[in-house]
Amino acid sequence: MSRTGNARAAAEDSLEDYAFRYVPRTFRRWSAASVGATALGSIAFLADFSIGATIGIDHGTANAMLGILFASVIIVIVGVPVAYYAARYNLDLDLIARGSGFGYYGSIITTVVFAGFTCIFFALEGAIMAQGLQVATGTPLWLGYLISTVVVIPIVIYGMRALERLHFWTTPLWLALALLPLLWIIVSDPESVRAFTSFNGNSDGSISFGAVVSSAAVCFALTPQLAEQIDYIRAMPPRTPSNARSWWTSFALSGPGWVIFSSTKQMIGVFLAVYVLVKVDPTLGHSATEPVKQFVGMYQTLFPDWLAIVLALVLIVVAQVKINVTNAYSGSLAWSNVFTRVAKHYPGRTIFVLLNLVIAYALMMLDVFTLISFVLSLYANVVMAWLVTIATDIAINKWVLRISPRFPEFRRGMLHDWNPVGLVSVGLASVLSLLAFAGLLGTAVKPFSVLIAIGVAFVATPVMALATRGRYYLRRRSDGIDSPLFDEHGNPSGERLRCHVTGYMFERPDMLASAQRGAHGQVQYVSSLALTLDDSDRYVLPPEVNGPPHWATDRGRGT
């Protein structure tokens, strides 16, 4: 297939998922409330219950609860600027990262980190479903892993529209199954609450800063869930005076606010682990971290055994499908984004759905669930280095120092390929925190490795921006198009221009002037999609040698 034909095919396929493009107004037909509700539907994952139970058994209720709260506060702080840029400018996290310290190709590194997250959490959720099938029907784990993997395929290949319908119809059922029995137990059995508050787990019962941070480190590994929320909230409608209240409410709850619901589930996970150990089966030990054991145990105190198992299985299957269609969807977007930029070829998103599922299935077969605490604590170091760098570039470099361009530029030709600001910050923060995690910086420092990742990324990002004087953010400050990039409300413009490569119409934020003039010398426009798939520089405008500082241009007005 020719490059032009490949670009046209990618344009047609990406009308549903926009894997490496700005999401246009013509696609964003949902209300802010509808987008927010769909985004919140994706946080039904049961790994939260297991994470809470794990750190509760390891460190006791007090340390676990403080660790969950500490992690939640940091995640909200990191999430606000990143999620705002996604909802305001309708971009996914990879596109935001390009203009927030990493460069056009540099953001590939961060996208691979996120793709790894989707595989790990698909594997964890799939393992939970397989455990439920084994308890309810005696299905072997390997077959349960396979079933939990393939069951999402028919839904996820249809993208955002199918996911919106799935979450709309299943969220009420999930809430009823998960919360109503729990509330009844709390009200009718005060002794279970006292057992929960006094539970020491494997600790000596004292509150320790090291134990709190160790608990938080496991929770920090969930931070990339923000990127999955962004895959939904990038479809938010333009913010106008008429919808401002609904827009901000939906953004707050489904963007950075996802962690409120996640942390609540982690706390419930601690409670359920204590409940089944104290009230149901004290011999369960670490098996109390398995959500299937938690919910079966809870239901058995209220219903006959057969009904308890059926209800637990329904809850687990619904939750697993809800989150794993999101994991598979977001993972496929991430992998296709990486492959397309490197290979200059777009084979379609379906193949990357399958790639994501194969990797997740392999992790399940390697029994990643039994290593959940270690894997997530390790992964948290890189995750926090990555996301703190992006958040700091937005909050500090863009708004305080005004070195980074205010608008999150993502188009090839406008950006340098590599930006040392983000790459050095992530690299330095990751290496130092992983050395600490491995104990190579001393045993006293080891529990605090994730704090090293956060602190180094927060400091290194503005230091690198100042040291480089912002030279590696923008290759050009003008995209060669005279019409404004934003409308009167600061939203990305809805003006449509024709791409001379694909022949399709694209909205203004997706377009640049082409270096290739028309037959009569007229200016032609080229889409960011066509530039992504072109293996030459024939359409790319030359770099600007001199020009005004980027904060003196129009680009910062879309706020």
Side-chain angles (χ1 to χ4, degrees), residues 91-106:
L91 305 174
D92 67 18
L93 192 53
D94 174 79
L95 270 61
I96 294 171
R98 295 181 192 181
S100 299
F102 289 89
Y104 182 75
Y105 287 111

mmCIF file of all heavy atoms in Angstrom, residues 91-106:
data_model
loop_
_atom_site.group_PDB
_atom_site.id
_atom_site.type_symbol
_atom_site.label_atom_id
_atom_site.label_comp_id
_atom_site.label_asym_id
_atom_site.label_seq_id
_atom_site.Cartn_x
_atom_site.Cartn_y
_atom_site.Cartn_z
ATOM 1 N N LEU A 91 -6.570 15.673 24.097
ATOM 2 C CA LEU A 91 -5.398 14.901 23.709
ATOM 3 C C LEU A 91 -5.187 13.766 24.696
ATOM 4 O O LEU A 91 -5.517 13.890 25.877
ATOM 5 C CB LEU A 91 -4.144 15.787 23.709
ATOM 6 C CG LEU A 91 -4.184 17.054 22.861
ATOM 7 C CD1 LEU A 91 -2.922 17.885 23.097
ATOM 8 C CD2 LEU A 91 -4.325 16.721 21.378
ATOM 9 N N ASP A 92 -4.615 12.660 24.223
ATOM 10 C CA ASP A 92 -4.259 11.587 25.156
ATOM 11 C C ASP A 92 -2.910 11.901 25.792
ATOM 12 O O ASP A 92 -2.263 12.910 25.466
ATOM 13 C CB ASP A 92 -4.290 10.215 24.480
ATOM 14 C CG ASP A 92 -3.207 10.038 23.419
ATOM 15 O OD1 ASP A 92 -2.210 10.805 23.407
ATOM 16 O OD2 ASP A 92 -3.337 9.118 22.590
ATOM 17 N N LEU A 93 -2.476 11.050 26.704
ATOM 18 C CA LEU A 93 -1.283 11.360 27.491
ATOM 19 C C LEU A 93 -0.020 11.365 26.646
ATOM 20 O O LEU A 93 0.911 12.133 26.902
ATOM 21 C CB LEU A 93 -1.146 10.370 28.647
ATOM 22 C CG LEU A 93 -0.107 10.732 29.715
ATOM 23 C CD1 LEU A 93 -0.333 12.141 30.252
ATOM 24 C CD2 LEU A 93 -0.152 9.729 30.862
ATOM 25 N N ASP A 94 0.038 10.527 25.617
ATOM 26 C CA ASP A 94 1.217 10.526 24.753
ATOM 27 C C ASP A 94 1.344 11.856 24.019
ATOM 28 O O ASP A 94 2.434 12.432 23.942
ATOM 29 C CB ASP A 94 1.133 9.380 23.742
ATOM 30 C CG ASP A 94 2.276 9.434 22.741
ATOM 31 O OD1 ASP A 94 3.386 9.004 23.104
ATOM 32 O OD2 ASP A 94 2.082 9.933 21.612
ATOM 33 N N LEU A 95 0.242 12.362 23.490
ATOM 34 C CA LEU A 95 0.286 13.638 22.771
ATOM 35 C C LEU A 95 0.643 14.786 23.714
ATOM 36 O O LEU A 95 1.361 15.714 23.330
ATOM 37 C CB LEU A 95 -1.054 13.902 22.078
ATOM 38 C CG LEU A 95 -1.190 13.368 20.654
ATOM 39 C CD1 LEU A 95 -1.044 11.849 20.608
ATOM 40 C CD2 LEU A 95 -2.542 13.763 20.052
ATOM 41 N N ILE A 96 0.149 14.727 24.956
ATOM 42 C CA ILE A 96 0.509 15.750 25.939
ATOM 43 C C ILE A 96 1.997 15.677 26.266
ATOM 44 O O ILE A 96 2.679 16.706 26.359
ATOM 45 C CB ILE A 96 -0.333 15.569 27.216
ATOM 46 C CG1 ILE A 96 -1.807 15.849 26.931
ATOM 47 C CG2 ILE A 96 0.165 16.490 28.335
ATOM 48 C CD1 ILE A 96 -2.728 15.493 28.072
ATOM 49 N N ALA A 97 2.516 14.454 26.420
ATOM 50 C CA ALA A 97 3.929 14.281 26.792
ATOM 51 C C ALA A 97 4.868 14.830 25.727
ATOM 52 O O ALA A 97 5.952 15.339 26.042
ATOM 53 C CB ALA A 97 4.225 12.797 27.038
ATOM 54 N N ARG A 98 4.472 14.743 24.453
ATOM 55 C CA ARG A 98 5.349 15.223 23.383
ATOM 56 C C ARG A 98 5.751 16.676 23.601
ATOM 57 O O ARG A 98 6.924 17.031 23.460
ATOM 58 C CB ARG A 98 4.635 15.099 22.029
ATOM 59 C CG ARG A 98 4.337 13.685 21.591
ATOM 60 C CD ARG A 98 3.643 13.691 20.232
ATOM 61 N NE ARG A 98 3.083 12.392 19.896
ATOM 62 C CZ ARG A 98 2.443 12.137 18.765
ATOM 63 N NH1 ARG A 98 2.280 13.097 17.862
ATOM 64 N NH2 ARG A 98 1.956 10.920 18.529
ATOM 65 N N GLY A 99 4.782 17.522 23.929
ATOM 66 C CA GLY A 99 5.068 18.939 24.123
ATOM 67 C C GLY A 99 5.300 19.324 25.564
ATOM 68 O O GLY A 99 5.386 20.512 25.880
ATOM 69 N N SER A 100 5.421 18.324 26.428
ATOM 70 C CA SER A 100 5.629 18.602 27.859
ATOM 71 C C SER A 100 6.934 17.977 28.338
ATOM 72 O O SER A 100 6.994 17.342 29.389
ATOM 73 C CB SER A 100 4.444 18.070 28.683
ATOM 74 O OG SER A 100 3.249 18.698 28.293
ATOM 75 N N GLY A 101 7.961 18.142 27.525
ATOM 76 C CA GLY A 101 9.296 17.769 27.968
ATOM 77 C C GLY A 101 9.943 16.584 27.293
ATOM 78 O O GLY A 101 11.100 16.276 27.603
ATOM 79 N N PHE A 102 9.238 15.903 26.352
ATOM 80 C CA PHE A 102 9.811 14.674 25.809
ATOM 81 C C PHE A 102 10.138 14.732 24.320
ATOM 82 O O PHE A 102 11.044 14.039 23.866
ATOM 83 C CB PHE A 102 8.863 13.497 26.077
ATOM 84 C CG PHE A 102 8.820 13.117 27.521
ATOM 85 C CD1 PHE A 102 7.917 13.702 28.377
ATOM 86 C CD2 PHE A 102 9.707 12.191 28.036
ATOM 87 C CE1 PHE A 102 7.879 13.377 29.726
ATOM 88 C CE2 PHE A 102 9.688 11.848 29.378
ATOM 89 C CZ PHE A 102 8.773 12.451 30.230
ATOM 90 N N GLY A 103 9.437 15.518 23.550
ATOM 91 C CA GLY A 103 9.686 15.574 22.122
ATOM 92 C C GLY A 103 8.862 14.563 21.353
ATOM 93 O O GLY A 103 8.220 13.685 21.930
ATOM 94 N N TYR A 104 8.878 14.685 20.022
ATOM 95 C CA TYR A 104 8.000 13.883 19.174
ATOM 96 C C TYR A 104 8.278 12.392 19.321
ATOM 97 O O TYR A 104 7.351 11.584 19.443
ATOM 98 C CB TYR A 104 8.159 14.316 17.716
ATOM 99 C CG TYR A 104 7.246 13.578 16.777
ATOM 100 C CD1 TYR A 104 5.896 13.877 16.720
ATOM 101 C CD2 TYR A 104 7.731 12.557 15.957
ATOM 102 C CE1 TYR A 104 5.037 13.193 15.880
ATOM 103 C CE2 TYR A 104 6.880 11.868 15.110
ATOM 104 C CZ TYR A 104 5.536 12.189 15.066
ATOM 105 O OH TYR A 104 4.693 11.499 14.230
ATOM 106 N N TYR A 105 9.528 11.996 19.294
ATOM 107 C CA TYR A 105 9.872 10.584 19.462
ATOM 108 C C TYR A 105 10.160 10.233 20.918
ATOM 109 O O TYR A 105 10.006 9.082 21.332
ATOM 110 C CB TYR A 105 11.075 10.209 18.593
ATOM 111 C CG TYR A 105 10.755 10.132 17.128
ATOM 112 C CD1 TYR A 105 11.256 11.075 16.232
ATOM 113 C CD2 TYR A 105 9.941 9.123 16.617
ATOM 114 C CE1 TYR A 105 10.945 11.020 14.877
ATOM 115 C CE2 TYR A 105 9.630 9.062 15.267
ATOM 116 C CZ TYR A 105 10.137 10.007 14.405
ATOM 117 O OH TYR A 105 9.814 9.941 13.067
ATOM 118 N N GLY A 106 10.575 11.192 21.715
ATOM 119 C CA GLY A 106 10.908 10.913 23.113
ATOM 120 C C GLY A 106 9.738 10.390 23.914
ATOM 121 O O GLY A 106 9.907 9.582 24.837
#
